[in-house]
Amino acid sequence: MLTTSRDNAAGITTCESWLDGICEKDNCFKFDLQVTVNRVSFAQVEGQLAMKANTRSERLRADVLSVLRDSVQDRIFPGAVAALISSTDEIYIPFGCETYDPIARPISDESIFDVASLTKIVATTTAIIQLVERKQLALHDRACNVVPQLRQAPKDQITILQLLAHTAGFPGGEPLSGRYKSRDEILEAICSINLLYLPGTSRTYDDLGYILLGIIVESITGLTLDKYCENKIFEPLGMSETMFVPPKSLLGRVVPTEIDADRGGLLRGIVHDERAYLMGGVAGHAGIFTTARDLGKFARSMMDHDRGALARTLSTASVTLMWSRQWQDSEGEYGLGWDRLRPSYMNGIDDSDAVGHTGFTGVSLVISPRRNLAMILLSNRVHPVRSDKSMIGQARCRFVEAVMRYC
C-alpha cells in the first residue's frame, strides 16, 4: 500500500511505502520483496509477493520508517532512503521528497545521492589498498616519493598508512583559504600547510590527506581517479549507478543538496563539497554520487569479501587490515579509512568489530560483521542549507538503534 499525505504545518509532502515480504532469518530477518516507490504506484522487482511479514519484522520496518518520518517532520532532511543489507537479502525504505517544496519528487530507492565523505572508503581507500595488494605501493612508503612537494620536514615523514588513518598531522575542518581556485593551487596549498603534530603521534579527521591519496592513485596508475574507480571498483562490483560527475541524462534522479548562490543556486548533480568542486568534481575525499542499491552492493561485497566480486577486487587479508584498529581515542576506534565502533552514529551496536563511515551531506554506512548486516542511510540534510550536524547524528543513531532492537 502506498499513501501520500500533506503536512501543511511543515509544508512538505510525504510518501510512505508499506512493505510486505519480510520474514525472520537467523534471529534477524529475510527480505523477499524489493519495492520501487513513485507518486502513484509501487512495482514488485521480482514480480511476486512473498509471505506476509511476521510481527517482529513488521515492527522493525515500522520503527525504521518512524525514524525517517520524524526526521522529515523535524526538518533534519526532506527525504531519505534507509537500507538493510545482508549477504543474500535486502530492503529499501524510502520516505519523503527531494526538497521541502510541496510538489517535489518523492525519494525512491533509485534516487541518486551525493555521498560526500563515503568517497573516502568506497573509492579512495579501496583503490589504495588495491595498489598495495599489487605491490605498486606499500603502506609504509613515504608519500613524498609520489608527491615530491611533500619533501620538506616534517611532511617528508608522512606515510601512506598515516594518510589513510588520519594520523599524518594535517588539520581538519576547512583549513585552506578560499583564494585557492584550482586543483594545482589546492595541491600546493596542502603541501605548504603547517602540520598540527608530528606524523603518527596523534589523529585528526581531515580531508587534505585524502585529497593527496586520490592524487597518489592517479600518479601511480596513470588514470584519473574517476576512471580508475570505474574500471577497478565500480564495474567489477556491478555498481553501474555510482560515479563522479553525473551525466546530464541522470540529473532527473539526482537528489539536490544545498542552495548555493555562489554556484548558481540549487546544487543538483554538482558535488556539494567545495574543494571537490574546485577540483572538477573528482577528488579523493568527496565526489561520489550513488544509489542505496549500489551502496548495498559495495557493503555486501565487503561482508562477503572471501567470495564473489570483491574476492577479485580485494583480498580477505586486505579487508581485515582496513577494518583493524589503527588508533583509539575517547570518541572511538579507527581503522584504515574506516571507523570502527563509534557511538556517535553506531549507538546500540554490541558488535565490537562494527565499522562504518559518514558523509557531510547526511549519509552513513554501518556494517556489523557479527550479524552480517549493513545499515545504510542516504539523505540530503544539507538542503536547503547546511544545518546543525547534531541533528543528523541523532537520526543516524535512532536508525541503528531501531534495527538493533530486532537483530
Side-chain angles (χ1 to χ4, degrees):
M1 177 177 67
L2 176 71
T3 63
T4 301
S5 61
R6 177 69 52 83
D7 183 334
N8 292 323
I12 57 175
T13 299
T14 58
C15 306
E16 303 180 19
S17 57
W18 297 86
L19 310 185
D20 293 320
I22 310 174
C23 61
E24 292 188 37
K25 177 184 180 183
D26 296 333
N27 199 35
C28 192
F29 42 76
K30 177 180 175 63
F31 304 108
D32 294 311
L33 178 67
Q34 301 172 22
V35 179
T36 299
V37 179
N38 57 37
R39 193 173 294 274
V40 296
S41 65
F42 69 86
Q44 303 164 29
V45 173
E46 298 297 334
Q48 296 290 329
L49 282 171
M51 67 181 66
K52 281 288 185 180
N54 59 49
T55 302
R56 178 186 178 89
S57 54
E58 178 66 14
R59 288 202 306 265
L60 163 64
R61 182 205 58 76
D63 280 7
V64 171
L65 191 61
S66 178
V67 173
L68 301 186
R69 182 187 299 110
D70 291 348
S71 297
V72 170
Q73 291 176 345
D74 292 340
R75 296 183 75 88
I76 297 175
F77 46 69
V81 180
L84 305 175
I85 310 293
S86 73
S87 292
T88 58
D89 308 304
E90 57 198 71
I91 187 172
Y92 301 89
I93 306 175
F95 186 85
C97 298
E98 291 184 348
T99 72
Y100 293 109
D101 190 308
I103 61 171
R105 280 191 295 261
I107 296 292
S108 80
D109 59 336
E110 294 185 345
S111 296
I112 299 172
F113 289 81
D114 177 341
V115 296
S117 285
L118 290 190
T119 301
K120 292 182 173 77
I121 57 169
V122 176
T124 311
T125 299
T126 303
I128 288 289
I129 297 300
Q130 285 180 332
L131 298 181
V132 171
E133 279 195 356
R134 297 167 190 157
K135 302 189 183 305
Q136 295 176 269
L137 192 64
L139 288 176
H140 293 289
D141 283 349
R142 302 286 174 86
C144 65
N145 293 340
V146 186
V147 184
Q149 296 95 318
L150 292 173
R151 287 179 183 154
Q152 49 183 299
K155 288 190 279 290
D156 60 349
Q157 301 301 307
I158 294 172
T159 65
I160 301 300
L161 185 148
Q162 290 165 351
L163 292 174
L164 287 169
H166 297 285
T167 60
F170 289 110
E174 292 287 342
L176 298 185
S177 167
R179 70 176 182 270
Y180 303 116
K181 300 297 185 182
S182 71
R183 174 189 172 93
D184 290 342
E185 288 180 359
I186 290 171
L187 174 59
E188 290 298 328
I190 293 172
C191 294
S192 301
I193 200 168
N194 291 327
L195 298 183
L196 291 180
Y197 48 84
L198 292 176
T201 63
S202 187
R203 183 186 187 277
T204 300
Y205 178 79
D206 72 291
D207 289 339
L208 306 187
Y210 271 76
I211 293 175
L212 291 180
L213 286 169
I215 290 170
I216 287 170
V217 170
E218 295 181 340
S219 297
I220 290 176
T221 65
L223 298 172
T224 58
L225 181 63
D226 57 334
K227 182 56 66 175
Y228 177 88
C229 291
E230 178 184 348
N231 293 344
K232 301 299 184 180
I233 302 172
F234 306 154
E235 286 187 358
L237 296 183
M239 299 169 67
S240 59
E241 297 190 308
T242 301
M243 71 216 79
F244 294 86
V245 191
K248 290 182 179 180
S249 61
L250 291 178
L251 291 186
R253 289 171 50 201
V254 175
V255 179
T257 54
E258 194 164 15
I259 298 174
D260 185 343
D262 293 336
R263 289 191 272 171
L266 185 66
L267 302 179
R268 185 189 290 273
I270 298 172
V271 65
H272 179 263
D273 183 271
E274 293 88 344
R275 297 283 173 259
Y277 172 76
L278 293 171
M279 296 178 70
V282 180
H285 69 298
I288 282 183
F289 289 76
T290 191
T291 64
R293 288 187 179 278
D294 263 17
L295 196 55
K297 292 177 183 178
F298 177 78
R300 176 177 289 130
S301 70
M302 295 300 295
M303 292 187 291
D304 294 340
H305 49 75
D306 59 341
R307 59 184 182 274
L310 192 68
R312 300 187 297 273
T313 307
L314 281 181
S315 69
T316 295
S318 290
V319 175
T320 300
L321 176 63
M322 287 192 301
W323 288 0
S324 64
R325 185 174 66 194
Q326 303 293 325
W327 194 268
Q328 183 175 13
D329 59 27
S330 60
E331 297 182 354
E333 300 178 0
Y334 312 90
L336 295 178
W338 293 77
D339 295 335
R340 284 176 53 84
L341 188 61
R342 292 287 307 282
S344 63
Y345 67 96
M346 302 181 188
N347 197 42
I349 293 183
D350 60 359
D351 184 349
S352 60
D353 291 320
V355 295
H357 209 284
T358 63
F360 187 81
T361 49
V363 299
S364 59
L365 167 62
V366 177
I367 294 176
S368 170
R370 179 183 301 173
R371 293 175 179 78
N372 197 33
L373 174 66
M375 292 158 277
I376 295 167
L377 179 64
L378 300 184
S379 81
N380 58 337
R381 71 103 190 165
V382 293
H383 180 82
V385 293
R386 61 194 71 187
S387 57
D388 183 357
K389 289 191 292 185
S390 66
M391 298 296 289
I392 187 62
Q394 293 173 21
R396 288 167 175 151
C397 283
R398 284 191 61 202
F399 168 47
V400 173
E401 290 165 358
V403 176
M404 289 299 101
R405 283 194 289 271
Y406 302 97
C407 296

